[in-house]
Amino acid sequence: MSAWVTKLVLFSLFSLLQVRYVDAKDYTIPTEEPQNCVESQRLPCAITTGDEPRMFHWSKSLFELDRNIVMDSSQKSKWHVYNGLLVLESQSNHSIVTPFAEVKIGKSKIMIHVMKNKMRVLCLDGEGVRIIPKGKTEESFLVPGFQNWYGGVDNGASESGVATVIDLQEYSKMRVPFFLNYSLGFQKELGVLASRVKWAAYQASLIHKELYDRKVASLESTHQQEVRKIKQGIEFNKSLRRLFLQKIRYDY
């Protein structure tokens, strides 16, 4: 074999190794530490899904995890989620702790999406969930059909948005890639959520109307106060004029 052929073969092998290295670098291997801790329900337990979604039961509750999620637990019914998207259908009390807030859930179904600078909580069904933003003691509450975000930690405390009605189209786009509960059926899940969203939209309209009515009442009250001030000013000016006229007559 000539020298240039040897160089060509070595170059080709090196190129293949480089390609494999790049592919391996971009692929996240799913891990479970210690091994089989989920199946045995043994604590502590740490999970990374890698490039494939995953579904498992824990204390009769169903977890569906999207790709590249990182989570662990060292206490019963309490999970720390550091990154990623999951749906939890809870049959008992659970606590999901994120860098931005702690979510307390009973018999409910929720979606949690932990991102770089914030997290989103969507209450899909059930009793509703309680959320305690990081660095705060007061709780907020989400009922089925509503969602909210928490994030922007400043001086150790997390900010939060205003609860809004879940967008079904947006939810579907997030949910499809890791829907694994085929015994339920995606169409049925969307149907249940659609009924919750319909109820939430009605409640939101009532809240909006109440706020609108309060605003109108406040504006009317302010207007009436202004009218009263003007009337009082007119009466005051009339009194001054009478006193002035009396003073003139007295002087004359």
Side-chain angles (χ1 to χ4, degrees):
M1 185 182 292
S2 61
W4 71 270
V5 174
T6 303
K7 289 181 181 180
L8 181 61
V9 171
L10 289 173
F11 178 80
S12 300
L13 288 173
F14 180 74
S15 299
L16 286 172
L17 288 173
Q18 284 292 95
V19 170
R20 287 176 183 173
Y21 172 75
V22 171
D23 287 344
K25 181 185 68 174
D26 293 338
Y27 180 76
T28 305
I29 300 174
T31 60
E32 193 173 306
E33 183 62 38
Q35 192 171 1
N36 297 324
C37 62
V38 170
E39 184 177 353
S40 62
Q41 307 246 328
R42 186 169 73 253
L43 296 173
C45 184
I47 303 169
T48 302
T49 54
D51 289 350
E52 293 294 332
R54 179 179 180 180
M55 179 175 71
F56 67 87
H57 285 87
W58 190 279
S59 299
K60 297 182 180 181
S61 297
L62 180 63
F63 286 77
E64 289 186 70
L65 313 180
D66 197 7
R67 298 160 180 80
N68 300 318
I69 196 169
V70 180
M71 58 188 291
D72 63 37
S73 177
S74 57
Q75 301 177 43
K76 184 180 179 181
S77 301
K78 187 172 187 177
W79 287 87
H80 291 261
V81 180
Y82 305 97
N83 179 71
L85 183 63
L86 67 90
V87 167
L88 167 59
E89 189 170 356
S90 175
Q91 299 299 325
S92 58
N93 293 329
H94 286 276
S95 179
I96 305 296
V97 181
T98 77
F100 309 104
E102 180 176 0
V103 183
K104 293 183 177 292
I105 172 175
K107 290 185 177 180
S108 295
K109 186 173 183 178
I110 63 170
M111 172 183 277
I112 295 178
H113 188 193
V114 181
M115 296 163 277
K116 183 178 180 181
N117 298 318
K118 65 180 180 179
M119 65 169 289
R120 290 175 65 198
V121 181
L122 292 78
C123 187
L124 310 176
D125 197 11
E127 302 170 344
V129 293
R130 294 180 294 139
I131 301 103
I132 307 173
K134 184 177 180 181
K136 298 183 179 179
T137 55
E138 66 273 15
E139 299 179 348
S140 61
F141 192 75
L142 280 181
V143 294
F146 284 92
Q147 63 181 359
N148 205 354
W149 64 266
Y150 304 85
V153 176
D154 185 25
N155 295 324
S158 176
E159 298 177 349
S160 60
V162 177
T164 58
V165 178
I166 293 173
D167 185 325
L168 270 176
Q169 185 174 2
E170 184 182 1
Y171 172 82
S172 300
K173 290 178 181 178
M174 292 190 295
R175 183 69 167 119
V176 166
F178 72 104
F179 181 83
L180 298 173
N181 188 12
Y182 302 115
S183 61
L184 170 65
F186 188 61
Q187 185 175 357
K188 185 177 179 181
E189 179 177 283
L190 276 186
V192 172
L193 180 57
S195 66
R196 303 296 179 264
V197 167
K198 182 179 180 181
W199 177 85
Y202 175 69
Q203 297 301 319
S205 68
L206 292 180
I207 294 171
H208 176 76
K209 185 178 184 306
E210 182 181 353
L211 292 174
Y212 173 79
D213 290 343
R214 286 183 184 177
K215 183 65 175 177
V216 170
S218 175
L219 290 173
E220 288 180 350
S221 175
T222 301
H223 174 70
Q224 292 299 327
Q225 288 176 6
E226 291 298 324
V227 170
R228 283 196 294 271
K229 285 181 181 178
I230 292 172
K231 287 183 178 179
Q232 289 171 357
I234 293 172
E235 293 299 325
F236 181 73
N237 287 333
K238 286 182 178 178
S239 298
L240 285 179
R241 186 179 179 186
R242 284 197 296 270
L243 289 172
F244 179 72
L245 291 174
Q246 290 174 4
K247 174 70 173 174
I248 292 175
R249 293 194 189 100
Y250 179 78
D251 289 342
Y252 280 104

